[in-house]
Amino acid sequence: SMYVVDSKTGKPVFDVNSQLGLAPASCQKVVTSVSAFEMLGKNYTYKTSISFDGLLVDSEILGDLYFYASGDPTLGSWRWAETNEDNIKKRIGEAMKKKGISSITGNLVIDDLTWETQATPNGWVWEDIGNYYGAGARGFNWHENQYDLNLKPGKKAGDPVQIIDTKPSLQAVDLINELKTGTEGSGDQSVIYLPEGGTTGYVRGTVPAGRATFTVSGSLPNPESDFFNVMRSVFSENNIGFTGKFHRALTRDKGRENVTSPLVNDFFMLESPPLDSINYWFLKKSVNLYGEALVKTIASKDELIWFGATDSGLNVIKNFWEQRGIERSALKIIDGSGLSPANRVTTLALVTVMQYAKNQSWFPSFYYALPETNGIKMKDGYISGVRSY
């Protein structure tokens, strides 16, 4: 399928099967990107507030320390200086010192109850979910929900591969290693099989010989567990007493809905880079996590929904484009990144979305984020034998 229009007049120049629904792969990110610019705004930021319930008496918190999450996919990301792990640790430590906190009697609680518990969208392939590009979006995300698996290949094809370590270290996860060494130059042919929330995973396939070490990346099954370890180091490095446990909130019963409640004491806010900066990496490096987070964010900011769920966000997006002339059947999408091979989009729909973007004030940000191939600014994608531009 191919569809070409004159960008000034909007008149078709070339049309072959432009209304045939095909797998768009990562070109689907164009739809999510433009939708987010319109519905959230180029300056939208995610905010993670840090609070405590109870009282602060003689520098001691008589209660729990809370992280109220908003789905920020950049928290702990290495792509910005202000979001990387060391910077986040430093800022949290300084904020607690400034507040005069030296001890916490209760627990550390992550509250991500405004988003659904399912991280990965329906329709994602089992082979993808355990790998870094298959990291789903949660209400609380950390380090892009990604870890590196460092390996030592054998000297020749067929030799076993040794797992050196993981960074960050996987918590309460047993990786069963079935990797073999491939021929030199064969590249990464490995697959990590590990579902969200899983405790046992399998690493299968091959990595090439001829390398002293080889690194592949996987998706963290429990990113909050790694963050809890990070907070342990924050407490230790700042001499803050803590003997409690770490867990996720199960119910919101401590007055959070009433922000004037004395039980809720916000004292620090972690804010993400603006959406146009997030979108840069989303399109330029095709970060699937960002697309899934944006879809859920669109739902959570909708005045009739206020809850971050994939299905709801996609429905808002489809309604938006239906009002702008794109039939719902032309956007048969089930995720925000295009990772599912079950997505179906027409080239007519994609061109219509880009024509719309061209007339908006934020278009320069969108255009700047597009990758460049052979001197052409355009998004590309590949999935299951399909190549899209």
Side-chain angles (χ1 to χ4, degrees):
S1 173
M2 186 174 183
Y3 188 56
V4 183
V5 300
D6 184 309
S7 62
K8 294 181 179 179
T9 65
K11 293 182 178 180
V13 175
F14 188 81
D15 183 343
V16 174
N17 297 327
S18 66
Q19 298 192 53
L20 178 66
L22 297 170
S26 280
C27 283
Q28 186 167 308
K29 290 179 170 68
V30 167
V31 179
T32 304
S33 170
V34 174
S35 301
F37 270 117
E38 276 296 273
M39 289 182 250
L40 301 175
K42 64 175 290 186
N43 296 317
Y44 176 82
T45 59
Y46 293 87
K47 296 176 177 62
T48 304
S49 63
I50 306 177
S51 311
F52 60 89
D53 64 348
L55 301 173
L56 180 62
V57 179
D58 295 330
S59 77
E60 183 176 54
I61 292 178
L62 303 178
D64 298 329
L65 184 68
Y66 276 80
F67 280 74
Y68 288 99
S70 64
D72 184 357
T74 72
L75 198 62
S77 172
W78 55 92
R79 302 183 197 276
W80 297 268
E82 66 268 30
T83 65
N84 69 42
E85 179 178 320
D86 289 341
N87 192 295
I88 295 295
K89 287 172 59 177
K90 179 183 177 182
R91 291 166 62 194
I92 293 175
E94 289 176 348
M96 296 184 75
K97 281 184 177 179
K98 184 177 181 180
K99 188 67 178 177
I101 299 169
S102 65
S103 180
I104 302 169
T105 63
N107 301 315
L108 191 154
V109 183
I110 288 180
D111 185 329
D112 59 356
L113 296 175
T114 58
W115 279 37
E116 65 180 343
T117 57
Q118 181 174 330
T120 50
N122 294 325
W124 278 18
V125 178
W126 169 231
E127 289 90 338
D128 292 339
I129 292 172
N131 300 280
Y132 75 95
Y133 55 87
R138 294 165 164 81
F140 181 86
N141 305 289
W142 176 250
H143 201 259
E144 295 196 1
N145 301 341
Q146 178 178 327
Y147 68 94
D148 289 336
L149 178 62
N150 297 312
L151 307 166
K152 183 179 180 180
K155 294 183 177 180
K156 63 181 185 302
D159 285 351
V161 175
Q162 177 187 346
I163 292 180
I164 301 173
D165 59 17
T166 64
K167 292 183 179 180
S169 61
L170 288 176
Q171 304 299 310
V173 175
D174 182 22
L175 279 183
I176 298 173
N177 179 15
E178 298 180 359
L179 280 170
K180 298 293 183 183
T181 303
T183 57
E184 286 194 38
S186 58
D188 179 11
Q189 304 298 324
S190 66
V191 177
I192 302 172
Y193 296 90
L194 180 61
E196 60 178 80
T199 56
T200 301
Y202 295 83
V203 191
R204 297 174 177 141
T206 65
V207 293
R211 301 279 292 272
T213 60
F214 194 85
T215 300
V216 299
S217 297
S219 68
L220 286 168
N222 297 291
E224 64 273 9
S225 296
D226 180 63
F227 179 72
F228 291 156
N229 266 351
V230 170
M231 286 303 299
R232 281 193 181 96
S233 66
V234 170
F235 296 147
S236 175
E237 292 167 9
N238 291 279
N239 297 313
I240 296 172
F242 179 79
T243 58
K245 298 180 180 180
F246 302 93
H247 63 84
R248 294 172 61 196
L250 299 177
T251 58
R252 181 166 287 179
D253 57 359
K254 299 203 177 218
R256 182 63 187 175
E257 303 304 334
N258 177 10
V259 294
T260 62
S261 169
L263 294 177
V264 177
N265 300 278
D266 291 346
F267 66 91
F268 189 57
M269 182 84 71
L270 292 167
E271 191 167 6
S272 76
L275 185 140
D276 64 343
S277 185
I278 296 172
N279 180 74
Y280 173 85
W281 292 107
F282 175 46
L283 293 184
K284 188 73 75 177
K285 295 298 182 182
S286 224
V287 184
N288 294 328
L289 168 68
Y290 291 178
E292 304 315 323
L294 289 173
V295 167
K296 292 182 178 181
T297 305
I298 286 171
S300 70
K301 297 303 176 182
D302 186 274
E303 295 181 354
L304 298 178
I305 302 173
W306 297 113
F307 185 73
T310 297
D311 289 349
S312 299
L314 291 174
N315 193 50
V316 173
I317 290 172
K318 291 173 185 176
N319 288 341
F320 177 86
W321 290 113
E322 186 175 29
Q323 293 168 10
R324 286 154 183 82
I326 298 178
E327 295 181 21
R328 294 180 73 87
S329 59
L331 286 177
K332 189 178 180 183
I333 52 179
I334 57 178
D335 64 25
S337 63
L339 184 58
S340 171
N343 290 305
R344 293 293 181 268
V345 176
T346 68
T347 49
L348 175 61
L350 287 176
V351 169
T352 303
V353 169
M354 290 191 291
Q355 283 180 286
Y356 179 88
K358 191 171 184 292
N359 295 320
Q360 308 310 312
S361 61
W362 43 258
F363 178 72
S365 294
F366 171 81
Y367 182 77
Y368 178 69
L370 290 172
E372 187 169 307
T373 304
N374 295 330
I376 303 171
K377 293 282 284 184
M378 61 180 176
K379 191 74 190 84
D380 62 338
Y382 176 80
I383 189 169
S384 303
V386 173
R387 175 64 76 181
S388 64
Y389 298 97

